Amino acid sequence: MDIYLLEAIINGILLGGVLALLALGLNLIFGVIDVVWIAYADIVMCGMYVIYFLYAQYGVPLPLACLIAIVAMAAFGVLVHLLIIAPVLNSPPINQLLATGGLLFFLQSFATLLFGTDFRNIGVRLPILEIATLYISFSRLIAFVVGLVGAIALYLFLKRTYIGTAIRAIAQDREIVGLMGVDQRRIYLVTSAIGGALAGLAACLLALQYDVHPFIGNTFGPVIFMICVLGGLGNMIGGFIASFIISQIIAIGGYYSNIELSYVLAFTFFIVLMFFRPRGIFAR
Amino acid sequence: MLSLAAVSAGYGSFQALFGVSLEVPQGEAVGVIGPNGAGKSTLMRVISGLLPMRDGSMILDGRSVSGLPAHRMVEQGIAHVPENRRLFPRLSVEDNLRIGAFIPQARQRFAEQLDRVYNLFPRLKDRRDQLAGTLSGGEQQMCAIGRALMSRPKLLLLDEPSAGLAPLVVAQVFELVRRIRAEGLTVLIVEQNVQQVLEVVDRAYLLEVGAIKLAGTAAELKDNSFIRKSYMGL
């Protein structure tokens, strides 16, 4: 096999890990709260700025900066729920979309106002690994491994704890969980915090590979939504698998043509598939 | 144990209950019978806090519990097995039982209570890892009752436990109610299956168009000519 193709496939798998993390967060929130956070990728952007300023500007050690970013984004997730989602929880879906869409424009404009449109890099240069003539970026490998560990941790949390069981239950029958002694509002807050924390974790991983600027969310946002819809909105396992399908299309497409065209390819694949499986590949 | 005084409730502009008063004494099984649309399920939903009452009051063990939301009512010791069972279909049987023990005081004794429920329903133990949605109707009813028992309630509300089940399974469900009662649990049961429910309860109320029309011991109601004619076809 062509060594460069193999490299592209491996890079595709590595990219899939981070996308999967974001798809899990978005699906979790949609499944539990029944609201799509259109601004999800822009919360990642905020997390990247937190890391950039803490680490590159104020010299906070990188692991600590990452931890702070995760906690800050979890708190941000709770705020998003309390200030934006809770008031429109019983409104028609279009109103909810407009509300979280408004947050997207707000965050992008606010970031532009505060930080300008400069591309900023945290300036961490991790080595490129050479494994038997294959070149693999260490930062991507870290992103993949941490993304996978995050996904497994989330899975265990949902499977093994009472709160996790309540989160899975509430997605199946919103009313009856009350009869189990579960306070819905509390579960919504916990879910929003987890969604925010996952965005914060993704921000740590992406900050190693990409420059941060106010519109970085636009690079990932559409891809993540496509992945979630492809896997079946709210279906966490479907979204997880779809992340790797899409990342492979982007990586292999990029190998045969160029990266811009590979996104066109991925979206074309998505649109065609929607004709056959309008509720996603893994729709129940 | 539980007493309702002049409770009214409804949905939007539709009023379903008009000043309902009833008593459920400690250790007894009480039935609420009546035709479709009489407000029986609404009554259950008001007691368990799923539906806020518009008027009236509710007292549990001498304390007012009027207006508490559902998740607080469970902590007060009321467990509600809803109409149509409403299991979480894509959770395993054991996860359904686990979520039944969500409240802190039930979590601490989860293992012990799980044993009791599996003793009561050995079939559930065999199917513990199966998704609840794949159980048969009778097994689902057992799982729903088991889930309610996991919170270690003082009062168990059963809403039409025999609905949609084969006659043989219906008999099993009523036998179960008898056993649960024998363990000392107080039970309030709503049923359309009048003849069979009057065999397992101590007292019963007849609810028609949102109001209590008749009340008495099971024996009295069994001999009541109106009940015999309208609800037993005798």
Side-chain angles (χ1 to χ4, degrees), chain A:
Chain A
M1 195 203 258
D2 185 345
I3 194 85
Y4 296 107
L5 179 61
L6 188 62
E7 227 171 73
I9 290 172
I10 290 174
N11 274 328
I13 294 173
L14 298 185
L15 173 68
V18 184
L19 294 181
L21 207 55
L22 291 171
L24 283 177
L26 202 57
N27 266 334
L28 180 72
I29 291 162
F30 177 78
V32 172
I33 310 177
D34 208 14
V35 167
V36 178
W37 280 15
I38 294 291
Y40 196 54
D42 300 279
I43 297 173
V44 177
M45 177 265 290
C46 296
M48 288 172 79
Y49 270 112
V50 170
I51 295 163
Y52 171 79
F53 279 104
L54 285 178
Y55 174 73
Q57 297 275 357
Y58 299 107
V60 176
L62 190 57
L64 183 62
C66 287
L67 195 68
I68 293 173
I70 292 170
V71 173
M73 290 309 106
F76 191 53
V78 170
L79 276 182
V80 167
H81 183 80
L82 288 177
L83 297 179
I84 294 164
I85 306 298
V88 295
L89 208 50
N90 297 312
S91 308
I94 185 72
N95 297 21
Q96 301 172 340
L97 282 181
L98 288 172
T100 59
L103 178 66
L104 178 148
F105 292 117
F106 172 80
L107 290 178
Q108 290 187 355
S109 312
F110 201 63
T112 310
L113 191 71
L114 284 182
F115 315 123
T117 50
D118 304 342
F119 282 49
R120 296 158 193 256
N121 195 289
I122 63 169
V124 175
R125 293 280 168 268
L126 291 171
I128 306 281
L129 300 180
E130 191 184 342
I131 305 165
T133 71
L134 278 179
Y135 291 96
I136 293 167
S137 141
F138 193 55
S139 55
R140 282 191 179 178
L141 190 63
I142 290 181
F144 173 76
V145 171
V146 173
L148 216 57
V149 169
I152 291 168
L154 179 65
Y155 175 83
L156 290 177
F157 170 77
L158 291 176
K159 276 280 187 201
R160 298 280 170 84
T161 65
Y162 279 95
I163 297 265
T165 310
I167 285 175
R168 286 184 293 142
I170 205 170
Q172 296 178 31
D173 196 324
R174 216 159 284 286
E175 185 183 33
I176 293 306
V177 285
L179 293 182
M180 310 294 123
V182 177
D183 184 357
Q184 287 189 14
R185 288 167 308 175
R186 211 179 114 217
I187 297 297
Y188 288 168
L189 289 182
V190 172
T191 305
S192 301
I194 296 173
L198 288 172
L201 183 59
C204 302
L205 305 175
L206 292 171
L208 291 174
Q209 302 173 44
Y210 298 91
D211 295 339
V212 55
H213 57 90
F215 305 101
I216 181 94
N218 294 351
T219 318
F220 307 106
V223 180
I224 302 162
F225 287 114
M226 177 173 71
I227 286 170
C228 287
V229 175
L230 193 66
L233 254 181
N235 181 343
M236 313 241 319
I237 294 172
F240 187 81
I241 298 170
S243 307
F244 288 95
I245 296 176
I246 291 300
S247 65
Q248 275 313 323
I249 293 177
I250 292 173
I252 297 176
Y255 166 75
Y256 282 112
S257 55
N258 57 51
I259 200 75
E260 282 75 25
L261 198 63
S262 71
Y263 277 88
V264 175
L265 216 65
F267 275 92
T268 310
F269 170 77
F270 168 70
I271 291 166
V272 171
L273 243 155
M274 281 297 104
F275 282 112
F276 300 105
R277 305 280 297 171
R279 297 177 62 88
I281 315 180
F282 304 101
R284 292 191 184 88

Side-chain angles (χ1 to χ4, degrees), chain B residues 22-25 28-32 187-190 201-205:
Chain B
L22 62 79
E23 295 279 338
V24 184
E28 284 195 14
V30 174
V32 176
V187 178
L188 179 63
I189 178 169
V190 153
V201 298
D202 301 288
R203 325 201 280 134
Y205 291 85

